[in-house]
Amino acid sequence: MNRDELVIDIRHLTKDYVSGSEKIAVLKDINLEVRRGEMVAIMGPSGSGKSTLLFILGIFQPPSGGVYKVAGVDVMSLSRDAQAVFRREKMGFVFQSCDLLENSTVYENLELPLIYTGVKRRERADKIMEALQRVNLEHRVRQPSNRLSGGERQRVSIARALVNEPEFILADEPTGQLDKANSERVMDYFVKITEEARVAMVIVTHDAMTAERCSRRSLLSEGVLKPY
């Protein structure tokens, strides 16, 4: 495998919504390439189309037109069931709210996606510990998630996104609820992960400091994506 290969390949992507007799163009001729080892920030004001683009990147909704490929696979040509499998096996997600299972341990939170993808029990522990080592949280493996700090919770969320060795990670405002010190720490881990694990990452953010740590920055404004 060529480790510098193109992971995300979006060509002339559009998204329209219909309101009564009016068609509203939310995304207009979006083009985006992200390769392994790259971390790309997408910035933009509220109402610019960031959430719509996020849903399309995560294969949660289809575009109106254009092409969206992940590692050479035209994901929009897949059936809904196949898209769900692809999402589980090839994508990792990090959200602002972390979305951890509150009454479960760190281990159990990372084990769940492995169970869904059919990883055998004897292989799970190694994958979980490897993912936690990447964010320096292996010592918290048996800790209940509701007893972690905000920064630790987000790092567990990052480890969970990594545990299935995805093609790319999609992060939605990953530092939005963190203080400056924890935000910088989380971004340190993102940089380390993209460089060492050679995954592609797209971060949707309002935060200028978060965007500055990325390989590239793009601005989405009135449905148009431009270099920032």
Side-chain angles (χ1 to χ4, degrees):
M1 178 186 293
N2 178 3
R3 301 304 292 176
D4 293 320
E5 70 186 13
L6 190 61
V7 177
I8 298 171
D9 186 11
I10 290 176
R11 306 286 177 182
H12 307 296
L13 186 142
T14 62
K15 182 65 179 180
D16 302 323
Y17 290 112
V18 176
S19 178
S21 60
E22 183 181 7
K23 184 170 75 171
I24 302 169
V26 179
L27 297 176
K28 307 169 186 176
D29 197 30
I30 302 292
N31 293 280
L32 178 66
E33 292 185 352
V34 187
R35 299 182 181 276
R36 293 189 184 279
E38 280 194 311
M39 183 164 56
V40 175
I42 296 177
M43 305 180 71
S46 297
S48 62
K50 293 196 310 300
S51 294
T52 299
L53 182 57
L54 186 79
F55 292 146
I56 293 172
L57 286 170
I59 333 178
F60 294 112
Q61 68 175 238
S64 299
V67 175
Y68 174 30
K69 293 183 179 181
V70 178
V73 176
D74 183 353
V75 293
M76 291 306 163
S77 69
L78 301 175
S79 68
R80 294 190 68 175
D81 287 346
Q83 285 179 346
V85 171
F86 191 92
R87 189 185 303 117
R88 287 198 305 266
E89 294 182 352
K90 303 297 184 180
M91 298 182 177
F93 297 88
V94 180
F95 300 106
Q96 176 175 297
S97 59
C98 302
D99 291 330
L100 299 182
L101 301 173
E102 292 295 330
N103 296 314
S104 300
T105 65
V106 168
Y107 187 96
E108 290 165 341
N109 270 276
L110 269 68
E111 185 179 35
L112 192 60
L114 295 173
I115 293 172
Y116 283 150
T117 51
V119 176
K120 295 179 180 179
R121 182 186 296 272
R122 63 178 177 271
E123 299 174 14
R124 293 177 203 160
D126 288 343
K127 286 182 174 290
I128 289 168
M129 293 308 297
E130 181 180 353
L132 287 174
Q133 285 166 5
R134 289 193 179 277
V135 295
N136 290 347
L137 276 181
E138 61 271 28
H139 61 292
R140 293 295 213 183
V141 64
R142 298 299 176 186
Q143 186 83 353
S145 61
N146 57 10
R147 294 178 59 187
L148 300 173
S149 69
E152 287 175 331
R153 289 170 62 83
Q154 193 59 293
R155 285 154 62 192
V156 171
S157 181
I158 295 168
R160 183 180 59 187
L162 284 169
V163 76
N164 270 329
E165 300 177 19
E167 296 286 349
F168 87 93
I169 294 174
L170 182 58
D172 181 20
E173 298 286 0
T175 60
Q177 295 185 357
L178 302 178
D179 58 28
K180 182 178 179 181
N182 276 310
S183 293
E184 290 177 349
R185 189 172 293 116
V186 163
M187 291 308 299
D188 286 343
Y189 288 118
F190 279 153
V191 171
K192 175 184 176 184
I193 288 161
T194 53
E195 290 178 350
E196 294 183 359
R198 302 296 291 168
V199 299
M201 185 177 296
V202 174
I203 298 179
V204 176
T205 183
H206 283 94
D207 184 61
M209 184 214 78
T210 296
E212 284 294 326
R213 298 293 304 276
C214 294
S215 314
R216 288 187 285 119
R217 294 164 291 284
S218 293
L219 177 66
L220 186 60
S221 179
E222 297 182 347
V224 177
L225 188 67
K226 300 177 181 179
Y228 182 73

